Amino acid sequence: MSEHAGHPDAIAQDMRAAVRLEKWNIFWTITYVGALGAAMGSSQAMKTAWVEDILGLIPPLAFLIGERFERRGADGRYHYGYDRVNGLGFLVAAVALAAVGVFLLKDAVTALMAQEHVTIGTVRVWGRDVWLGWFMIAAQAYACIPPFIIGRKELKLAKSLRDKLLHTDALMNKANWQTGIAGILGILGIGFGFWWADAVAAAIISASIIWDGWNAMKVAAGELIDGMPRELGDEKLSQEADALAKSLHQQFPEAKAILLRETGRFIRAEVVGARPGDFNRDKLKIDGCDDWRIDSISFRP
């Protein structure tokens, strides 16, 4: 039987902080998406960065929606609660990220093969001709600042909450500010007469999007098919899950197996081939595994 409903007290404060952060993330993302769209022109790198930044809205929106469902706890329709809504949002974000990355990479490669010579014109400002590339660079520079700050804060919260969706959003923000730097280099390359610089920068950005999307899809799929709990951003077995399994093996040496699966941010354990006896879940303390992560421990004869 599940021993929690909604957010455990141990992480409630961090969850509130994450919700506030994701709301700010959406706000700032909208501002620099608008800035990039206004200054985009015909630059392929700028277009790629702009599309990637729009995609950056998916993880925070998915997190906020999932968080509202998680707070409901179990009900008559969903006896195990809504913990996996977070994982579902994680999978949706990962698939969208990888799919659009492939689309953008195709555009960049096509532009290179066609040898498209992108030109950046000028605009009249206060009686002087000003290169539009400076406006593009300014927009890209602005678009680097919020993701850099927010992404670092998200990483800290993702570790305390064991939240893969929040962790993916942090990685996406990291990719966003790196994309901005690549875009600036592509624009400067055009300014110096290197026609291919813009498309090459777009291709590099697209490849990084595909890589992040592919890794995220593997982790998300593993969770949704009851895979073993994994570390954030890695396919390695979670250290907390390993500590829980070892502790249960010590308490029930006659058990044939200790089965673990991840449900959202929580771990469910099943002891096979042993009876609970006088086992008291409330007294279970495991070094290396926070108590709130253990959602339930069941026994199968």
Side-chain angles (χ1 to χ4, degrees):
M1 176 176 150
S2 177
E3 298 185 6
H4 86 276
H7 302 318
D9 293 339
I11 61 169
Q13 184 175 349
D14 284 339
M15 285 300 300
R16 289 192 292 269
V19 168
R20 287 194 301 270
L21 185 62
E22 289 300 71
K23 288 180 179 177
W24 279 111
N25 188 14
I26 292 171
F27 169 77
W28 287 111
T29 300
I30 290 173
T31 65
Y32 61 73
V33 163
L36 288 174
M40 183 165 51
S42 59
S43 168
Q44 186 67 33
M46 287 285 286
K47 175 187 173 183
T48 306
W50 180 69
V51 173
E52 184 188 20
D53 290 336
I54 292 177
L55 279 177
L57 290 168
I58 296 177
L61 287 172
F63 177 85
L64 293 176
I65 294 170
E67 188 273 337
R68 290 183 67 86
F69 274 93
E70 277 186 71
R71 277 186 281 148
R72 295 183 181 182
D75 58 28
R77 294 185 63 193
Y78 297 93
H79 292 180
Y80 291 95
Y82 294 82
D83 299 330
R84 278 189 169 175
V85 172
N86 180 276
L88 179 61
F90 178 38
L91 179 62
V92 170
V95 172
L97 187 64
V100 176
V102 171
F103 172 76
L104 295 174
L105 181 61
K106 179 188 73 69
D107 279 359
V109 172
T110 301
L112 279 173
M113 294 179 65
Q115 298 187 14
E116 295 179 4
H117 288 61
V118 178
T119 58
I120 299 177
T122 60
V123 64
R124 197 78 173 169
V125 180
W126 294 329
R128 295 187 177 182
D129 290 331
V130 179
W131 184 48
L132 284 173
W134 296 122
F135 294 100
M136 295 180 181
I137 290 173
Q140 284 280 29
Y142 168 64
C144 290
I145 298 172
F148 180 79
I149 297 172
I150 292 173
R152 292 172 67 88
K153 292 180 179 292
E154 284 176 330
L155 278 177
K156 183 179 179 181
L157 285 171
K159 290 178 181 178
S160 65
L161 296 171
R162 317 303 197 275
D163 196 298
K164 293 182 175 66
L165 179 53
L166 198 61
H167 186 264
T168 300
D169 195 16
L171 294 180
M172 185 175 284
N173 274 310
K174 180 181 178 181
N176 283 346
W177 68 258
Q178 291 176 340
T179 294
I181 294 175
I184 290 171
L185 294 176
I187 295 165
L188 290 173
I190 294 175
F192 283 108
F194 302 113
W195 65 267
W196 45 264
D198 184 65
V200 168
I204 293 172
I205 295 167
S206 303
S208 72
I209 295 173
I210 295 170
W211 180 252
D212 289 340
W214 171 249
N215 287 329
M217 278 195 297
K218 288 193 293 183
V219 177
E223 178 183 331
L224 290 176
I225 59 175
D226 287 339
M228 286 283 286
R230 304 292 175 182
E231 293 287 354
L232 282 176
D234 203 327
E235 298 233 15
K236 293 180 180 178
L237 178 67
S238 166
Q239 294 182 2
E240 290 180 305
D242 187 50
L244 173 59
K246 288 179 179 178
S247 176
L248 290 175
H249 268 301
Q250 290 175 356
Q251 292 189 49
F252 303 97
E254 74 278 15
K256 295 181 179 180
I258 305 294
L259 306 181
L260 303 177
R261 60 189 172 100
E262 197 164 35
T263 306
R265 66 187 86 254
F266 303 102
I267 298 174
R268 289 194 172 119
E270 184 177 15
V271 183
V272 181
R275 297 185 178 276
D278 59 353
F279 174 71
N280 189 336
R281 165 69 179 83
D282 294 332
K283 294 182 179 179
L284 180 67
K285 299 297 179 183
I286 301 171
D287 293 334
C289 182
D290 289 337
D291 185 65
W292 68 263
R293 283 213 77 193
I294 306 171
D295 178 72
S296 63
I297 298 175
S298 59
F299 294 80
R300 187 198 304 176

